[in-house]
């Protein structure tokens, strides 16, 4: 009987922990985090604090390879949907003092992002 209770408790723990462990980043998350960057990416000038805060937050959210690949793909889709200056996107992490392990570019192969 004790063994059955233990198995039930373990199954319950897996059901509770699993949804937390599989929370994935969506393109909606990415869009909301980088929304403060749009004016800069289209026109140049000074990088807004809200932009850098969003880039930092997004980088902190993307801790796994699948998350980083998703963010990469979402950034590419957004860059293609909205006319931006690609060179500004590429230099944005450095201007915000954020280390992103891939180049933000429409030419980046997001499947190779680790």
């Amino acid at each position: 009987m004790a063994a059955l209770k233990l198995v039930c408790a373990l199954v319950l723990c897996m059901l509770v922990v699993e949804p937390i462990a599989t929370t994935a980043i969506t393109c909606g998350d990415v869009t909301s985090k980088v929304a403060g960057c749009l004016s800069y990416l289209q026109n140049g000038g000074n990088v807004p604090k809200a932009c850098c805060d969003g880039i930092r937050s997004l980088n902190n959210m993307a801790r796994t390879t699948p998350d980083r690949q998703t963010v990469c793909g979402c950034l590419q889709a957004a860059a293609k949907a909205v006319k931006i200056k690609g060179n500004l996107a590429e230099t944005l992490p450095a201007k915000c003092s954020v280390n992103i392990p891939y180049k933000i570019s429409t030419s980046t192969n997001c499947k190779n992002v680790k």
Side-chain angles (χ1 to χ4, degrees), residues 41-61:
L41 293 172
Q42 290 179 324
N43 305 311
N46 293 324
V47 180
K49 181 183 181 315
C51 172
C52 288
D53 290 346
I55 295 292
R56 249 181 240 99
S57 175
L58 188 59
N59 191 46
N60 288 334
M61 290 170 60

Side-chain angles (χ1 to χ4, degrees), residues 28-94:
D29 296 329
V30 174
T31 301
S32 69
K33 296 294 182 192
V34 299
C37 303
L38 187 57
S39 175
Y40 167 76
L41 293 172
Q42 290 179 324
N43 305 311
N46 293 324
V47 180
K49 181 183 181 315
C51 172
C52 288
D53 290 346
I55 295 292
R56 249 181 240 99
S57 175
L58 188 59
N59 191 46
N60 288 334
M61 290 170 60
R63 289 292 174 203
T64 66
T65 295
D67 283 345
R68 286 188 286 274
Q69 290 173 343
T70 297
V71 169
C72 177
C74 294
L75 289 172
Q76 285 183 337
K80 291 174 184 173
V82 180
K83 187 169 174 66
I84 64 167
K85 296 178 179 176
N87 61 321
L88 295 178
E90 289 180 25
T91 61
L92 188 56

